[in-house]
């Protein structure tokens, strides 16, 4: 019946990933690996000169400075290609990961409900929905923990973009002692949702918004549309890339990026169905008298069912600092971001003070105490700032790591 649909090949996706990394990485080497317990795809990246020194038989084995990077929704680890070389110059190794059921990872996510809309038809559906949300979060987070165990990482710096930032934050909340730093790159799901009285009731929504909201509830995804389009799906992906990134790539670069994106997009649907389990679209009335960025207070958008902001404020134990990053034209930026960061900083410093030794036992030092949290705005960039201004981002991230992680 659907003979026009094209079968997806995991081999072709991995081949496209390898071609992309080999094409763009100049100072680094990479090795593709797989988590034995869950099929998550990841690559270990090292600076070429460091790799020779670190792998020398006579070199004493010490804990490696490790940065783990997690992609956002609809993307894959290959999209960080413009960041790997700079970060590998500083870190001993970069581990870039495809989330469970996404990118080139196996489609093994079992807790992600494909038809989450069905839960809204059950009695006590709100409680049921939150139970599903927690199970989905745990599946992604525990999958990353299985990777950490396989790589035998005692601690590492964790960076995530967009949805990957949200899930990285949830990992940090569940496994705080595994990290030495957390970098949230334009993350979704940080602020609390708007108040109930500020939301538009369903009857006041435009009919087009109602349709979009219903499609969200039924888990209709962009990847699903590409798969349904069959042979036309490749052109859909290439055109979407051109529009979204303003024809950033040309020649071989464009072909390699386009083929990689298409191959990971056409893989069987699995992890992509997490969106409406984790997030919900909320439509609000405009803020009277507010314009520009301030007009975004309590704005229409997607919000996490378990937002990160309040959870970070209330963490009983957080031994690491947080770097929150947005582009200056970032649609996910929220005006209260500076307040969130200040609250995280205050909570961190309060914990540090409680853990300090008495003044009589303290060793004198010129070293400044850790800040605990920082907000970084990236100029000339939007949501995909790691691609739009990688030089600025890479330099600032490494500066922060030197000051807040490895001192």
């Amino acid at each position: 019946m659907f003979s026009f649909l094209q079968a997806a090949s995991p081999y072709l996706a991995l081949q496209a990933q390898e071609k992309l990394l080999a094409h763009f990485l100049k100072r680094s080497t990479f090795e593709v690996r797989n988590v034995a317990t869950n099929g998550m795809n990841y690559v270990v990246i090292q600076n070429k000169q460091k790799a020779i020194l670190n792998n020398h038989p006579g070199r004493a084995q010490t804990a490696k400075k490790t940065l783990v990077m997690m992609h956002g929704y609809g993307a894959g680890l290959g999209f960080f290609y413009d960041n790997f070389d700079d970060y590998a110059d500083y870190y001993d190794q970069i581990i870039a990961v495809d989330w469970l059921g996404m990118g080139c990872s196996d489609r093994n996510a079992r807790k992600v409900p494909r038809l989450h809309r069905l839960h809204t038809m059950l009695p006590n559906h709100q409680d049921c929905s939150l139970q599903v949300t927690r199970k989905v979060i745990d599946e992604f987070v525990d999958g990353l923990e299985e990777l950490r165990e396989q790589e035998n990482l005692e601690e590492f710096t964790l960076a995530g973009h967009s949805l990957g930032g949200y899930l990285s934050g949830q990992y940090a909340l569940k496994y705080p002692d595994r990290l030495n730093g957390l970098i949230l790159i334009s993350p979704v799901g940080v602020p609390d949702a708007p108040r109930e009285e500020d939301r538009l009731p369903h009857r006041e929504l435009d009919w087009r918004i109602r349709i979009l909201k219903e499609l969200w509830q039924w888990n209709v995804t962009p990847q699903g549309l590409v798969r349904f389009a069959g042979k036309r799906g490749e052109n859909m992906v290439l055109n979407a890339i051109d529009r979204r990134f303003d024809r950033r790539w040309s020649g071989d670069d464009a072909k390699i990026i386009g083929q990689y994106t298409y191959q990971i997009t056409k893989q069987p649907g699995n992890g992509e169905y997490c969106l409406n389990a984790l997030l919900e679209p909320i439509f609000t009335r405009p803020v009277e008298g507010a314009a520009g960025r301030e007009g975004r207070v309590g704005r229409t958008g997607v919000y996490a069912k378990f937002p990160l902001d309040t959870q970070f404020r209330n963490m009983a134990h957080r031994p690491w600092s947080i770097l929150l990053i947005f582009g200056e034209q970032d649609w996910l930026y929220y005006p209260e971001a500076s307040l969130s960061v200040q609250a995280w900083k205050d909570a961190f410093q309060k914990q540090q003070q409680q853990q300090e030794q008495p003044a009589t036992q303290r060793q004198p030092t010129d070293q400044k105490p850790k800040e605990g949290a920082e907000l970084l705005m990236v100029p000339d960039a939007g949501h995909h700032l790691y691609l739009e201004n990688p030089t600025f981002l890479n330099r600032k991230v490494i500066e922060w790591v030197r000051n807040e992680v490895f001192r």
Side-chain angles (χ1 to χ4, degrees), residues 237-257:
V237 170
L238 297 178
N239 291 334
I241 291 174
D242 278 348
R243 288 195 305 272
R244 176 62 187 86
F245 294 103
D246 196 24
R247 301 187 181 276
R248 172 177 299 272
W249 299 284
S250 61
D252 288 343
D253 291 359
K255 292 177 182 177
I256 289 169
I257 289 286

Side-chain angles (χ1 to χ4, degrees), residues 85-103:
D85 276 341
D86 285 347
Y87 294 154
D89 287 345
Y90 181 77
Y91 279 90
D92 294 322
Q93 63 178 0
I94 312 299
I95 298 179
V97 187
D98 281 334
W99 286 107
L100 191 64
M102 301 184 194

Side-chain angles (χ1 to χ4, degrees), residues 298-325:
R299 73 192 190 284
T300 290
V302 288
Y303 290 84
K305 297 177 183 179
F306 291 107
L308 294 175
D309 187 4
T310 303
Q311 294 182 84
F312 283 150
R313 295 180 191 222
N314 297 332
M315 282 187 75
H317 171 63
R318 175 165 68 87
W320 30 263
S321 298
I322 303 171
L323 178 60
L324 178 63
I325 312 174

Side-chain angles (χ1 to χ4, degrees), residues 174-376:
K174 187 169 184 178
Y175 299 105
D177 292 324
R178 306 290 190 242
L179 302 186
N180 53 32
L182 178 64
I183 303 171
L184 303 177
I185 307 169
S186 187
V188 71
V190 177
D192 291 341
R195 298 173 303 175
E196 198 66 41
E197 56 266 33
D198 294 331
R199 304 182 190 187
L200 282 172
H202 185 75
R203 65 179 181 277
E204 294 183 26
L205 295 177
D206 182 88
W207 65 270
R208 289 161 293 189
I209 297 297
R210 294 186 192 185
I211 291 175
L212 289 174
K213 196 171 182 180
E214 196 66 19
L215 291 174
W216 176 281
Q217 292 285 358
W218 280 105
N219 246 334
V220 176
T221 67
Q223 296 93 317
L225 297 177
V226 169
R227 288 190 293 270
F228 188 78
K231 293 180 179 179
R232 292 175 295 171
E234 184 170 2
N235 285 332
M236 288 174 60
V237 170
L238 297 178
N239 291 334
I241 291 174
D242 278 348
R243 288 195 305 272
R244 176 62 187 86
F245 294 103
D246 196 24
R247 301 187 181 276
R248 172 177 299 272
W249 299 284
S250 61
D252 288 343
D253 291 359
K255 292 177 182 177
I256 289 169
I257 289 286
Q259 192 56 216
Y260 170 71
T261 307
Y262 174 58
Q263 290 299 335
I264 63 174
T265 300
K266 69 181 285 193
Q267 297 302 306
N270 189 233
E272 71 197 60
Y273 297 124
C274 70
L275 268 195
N276 69 12
L278 302 177
L279 311 171
E280 58 179 334
I282 295 177
F283 302 90
T284 61
R285 296 180 175 85
V287 179
E288 292 185 12
R293 286 188 182 275
E294 295 308 314
R296 291 180 172 189
V297 176
R299 73 192 190 284
T300 290
V302 288
Y303 290 84
K305 297 177 183 179
F306 291 107
L308 294 175
D309 187 4
T310 303
Q311 294 182 84
F312 283 150
R313 295 180 191 222
N314 297 332
M315 282 187 75
H317 171 63
R318 175 165 68 87
W320 30 263
S321 298
I322 303 171
L323 178 60
L324 178 63
I325 312 174
F326 291 104
E328 288 187 349
Q329 292 85 46
D330 199 327
W331 72 274
L332 272 179
Y333 169 82
Y334 62 105
E336 306 93 334
S338 59
L339 300 179
S340 298
V341 168
Q342 186 60 52
W344 303 345
K345 184 185 296 187
D346 292 343
F348 177 85
Q349 293 176 354
K350 183 178 180 181
Q351 287 182 27
Q352 296 298 106
Q353 291 170 3
Q354 292 172 346
Q355 294 168 9
E356 278 185 357
Q357 294 177 326
T360 55
Q361 300 178 20
R362 210 176 302 153
Q363 295 294 324
T365 178
D366 295 331
Q367 196 175 59
K368 287 177 60 179
K370 290 183 179 181
E371 291 290 326
E374 184 178 330
L375 175 64
L376 173 64

